Amino acid sequence: MKENTKLFKALSDPNRLRILKMLQSKSLCVCEITDVLKLATSTVSKHLSILKDGGFILEQKNGKWVNYLINPRPSDPRISSLISTLDFWISDDQLIISDKQKVQKVDRFKVCSR
Amino acid sequence: MKENTKLFKALSDPNRLRILKMLQSKSLCVCEITDVLKLATSTVSKHLSILKDGGFILEQKNGKWVNYLINPRPSDPRISSLISTLDFWISDDQLIISDKQKVQKVDRFKVCSR
DNA sequence: TTTACATTTCGCCTTTATATGAAATATAAA
DNA sequence: TTTATATTTCATATAAAGGCGAAATGTAAA
């Protein structure tokens, strides 16, 4: 039963939902996400590993950065279903809207190394 | 954002998933559910209130019993979507299968008052 | 090969969830 | 109206989740 709750658990944290919604706009590295959420890097990294473990996102190493993106072709159809549901799920939330605006402007060369 | 995670949180506990799957077979009172899950009555009552608060189930008072049933017409379309997803979600789980078998046989007049 | 930077892992603390038994509430039967 | 039964609420203990900073890891630039 643990496996069955894993997907729902991954989606039941507000910051992880924010991350997923941001990644639906654009793939991002850890420090860009950190800059938007205003959390410790280690915290963001942990959230990302939970989303990755659940199969919602993928990582792509690019030099010293690690880019995260929505998994475009999840093996588990339940994940595809949940991801596409999220498309219209919380689009009206003010926090999600402002996150998306920040994501458009974020620049890893300005944001990182501080 | 709290409101947005509420639905996922309600589904991210194994015992609550078991309850939902049982109720998909048949509406049940608290002591019948307690008998199958082997948890304290107060614990089951709490789980039911979380599922009810999320909009997944309804309660119908019947004398000294309170019957719970899957919400047949949820106002929130996301709930309908999640409930129907659960139909095929974890039908292969051994625990869910044995729960459903127990639910067929359970008799509140034998099970309650002990 | 140092040095700098991005990320992950670790240990620890705080908060939230889940579980319980006892007490409170509600209804039905005696 | 007492008594019994079903459920909820409360106080509380334990487990799990989420947060942080420091140390460890991996890569790139100097």
Side-chain angles (χ1 to χ4, degrees):
Chain A
M1 281 300 290
K2 197 108 180 291
E3 196 58 30
N4 288 314
T5 52
K6 198 169 82 171
L7 296 185
F8 293 125
K9 267 200 200 304
L11 300 177
S12 54
D13 177 84
N15 290 321
R16 286 197 290 273
L17 284 187
R18 290 174 73 189
I19 291 172
L20 281 177
K21 295 295 285 182
M22 288 195 281
L23 293 179
Q24 282 185 325
S25 298
K26 182 182 170 189
S27 74
L28 297 162
C29 71
V30 180
C31 65
E32 291 172 319
I33 296 169
T34 302
D35 184 65
V36 175
L37 297 185
K38 306 295 183 204
L39 291 172
T41 316
S42 55
T43 305
V44 172
S45 178
K46 185 78 197 303
H47 282 312
L48 287 164
S49 82
I50 291 169
L51 289 170
K52 189 176 62 144
D53 191 47
F56 293 96
I57 61 176
L58 299 178
E59 71 174 47
Q60 272 172 349
K61 297 213 172 181
N62 183 304
K64 55 184 175 176
W65 284 285
V66 181
N67 291 312
Y68 284 91
L69 59 148
I70 297 286
N71 185 347
R73 226 166 285 97
S75 54
D76 187 337
R78 301 175 300 175
I79 294 171
S80 316
S81 162
L82 287 169
I83 289 175
S84 60
T85 301
L86 278 177
D87 258 335
F88 57 92
W89 193 277
I90 39 177
S91 308
D92 55 337
D93 188 286
Q94 198 48 58
L95 187 54
I96 296 296
I97 292 168
S98 92
D99 284 350
K100 291 213 174 192
Q101 289 168 346
K102 285 176 190 161
V103 159
Q104 296 312 317
K105 290 180 224 154
V106 81
D107 175 358
R108 72 182 57 178
F109 295 101
K110 286 181 189 161
V111 158
C112 303
S113 74
R114 279 190 298 179
Chain B
M1 282 300 290
K2 197 114 182 286
E3 198 58 29
N4 288 314
T5 52
K6 198 169 83 170
L7 296 185
F8 293 125
K9 267 198 199 305
L11 300 178
S12 54
D13 176 85
N15 289 321
R16 286 197 291 274
L17 284 187
R18 290 174 73 188
I19 291 172
L20 282 177
K21 296 295 285 183
M22 287 195 282
L23 293 179
Q24 282 186 325
S25 299
K26 182 182 169 188
S27 74
L28 297 163
C29 70
V30 181
C31 65
E32 290 171 319
I33 296 169
T34 302
D35 184 65
V36 175
L37 297 185
K38 305 295 183 204
L39 292 172
T41 316
S42 56
T43 305
V44 172
S45 178
K46 184 77 197 303
H47 282 312
L48 287 165
S49 82
I50 291 169
L51 289 171
K52 189 177 61 147
D53 191 48
F56 292 97
I57 62 175
L58 300 177
E59 71 174 45
Q60 273 173 349
K61 297 212 173 183
N62 184 303
K64 56 184 175 175
W65 285 285
V66 181
N67 291 312
Y68 284 91
L69 58 147
I70 296 287
N71 186 347
R73 226 166 283 97
S75 53
D76 187 336
R78 301 174 299 175
I79 293 171
S80 315
S81 161
L82 287 169
I83 289 175
S84 60
T85 301
L86 278 177
D87 258 336
F88 57 91
W89 193 278
I90 38 177
S91 309
D92 55 337
D93 188 285
Q94 197 49 57
L95 187 54
I96 296 295
I97 292 169
S98 89
D99 284 351
K100 292 215 174 190
Q101 288 170 345
K102 285 176 190 160
V103 159
Q104 296 313 318
K105 290 181 225 153
V106 81
D107 175 358
R108 71 181 58 177
F109 294 101
K110 285 182 190 159
V111 158
C112 303
S113 75
R114 279 191 297 179

